[in-house]
Every structure is written in structure tokens, then in C-alpha cells.
Amino acid sequence: MRTFFGMILGALLLIAGVYLYDSMRTSSVASGQVAQNGRTIVNWDVAADDLKALKARAHEDWQKISSR
């Protein structure tokens, strides 16, 4: 149980760290023609849309399961 909790906590800390890094700095990894100043590591708009879709699908599936 402690190992599972440690893995969950580590994943949350990783996501929080990347979010903080992206919100305070720009990415120096981007280069080339499509590179932009201030480009972030993670496209947070896409991640938020994917999370909303995941929540909606989980809610629909839960309703199907609980209605049986």
C-alpha cells in the first residue's frame, strides 16, 4: 500500500513540477521554423480537453453500470 501511495504521490509531484516550470519559464528545447518564444513543454489546453473527455466518459460508464 505504501508503494502504491508513493507512486501516486510521485506522479502528482511530477505533474505539479512540470506545470510550475511551464508557468514560470520558456522551453529552450524548441528550435526550428515552428519554434515560438515562450513555448511550453506541455500543451495544457489539450491536456484539459482530454481530462474533460475522460471525466465525461467515466461518468457515462458509471451511469451505465449503476443502472443495472
Side-chain angles (χ1 to χ4, degrees):
M1 187 66 181
R2 290 167 78 188
T3 303
F4 181 70
F5 179 71
M7 288 189 294
I8 297 296
L9 183 62
L12 291 174
L13 287 173
L14 176 67
I15 292 169
V18 169
Y19 180 78
L20 286 173
Y21 180 83
D22 273 353
S23 65
M24 293 183 167
R25 294 185 168 237
T26 60
S27 176
S28 61
V29 176
S31 60
Q33 291 179 337
V34 295
Q36 303 170 0
N37 252 352
R39 186 171 177 186
T40 58
I41 295 174
V42 178
N43 188 343
W44 294 104
D45 296 332
V46 173
D49 290 341
D50 289 346
L51 182 60
K52 286 179 188 175
L54 177 67
K55 285 181 182 180
R57 183 169 180 186
H59 183 68
E60 290 171 4
D61 290 345
W62 178 253
Q63 287 179 338
K64 285 179 187 176
I65 292 171
S66 63
S67 68
R68 290 183 183 177

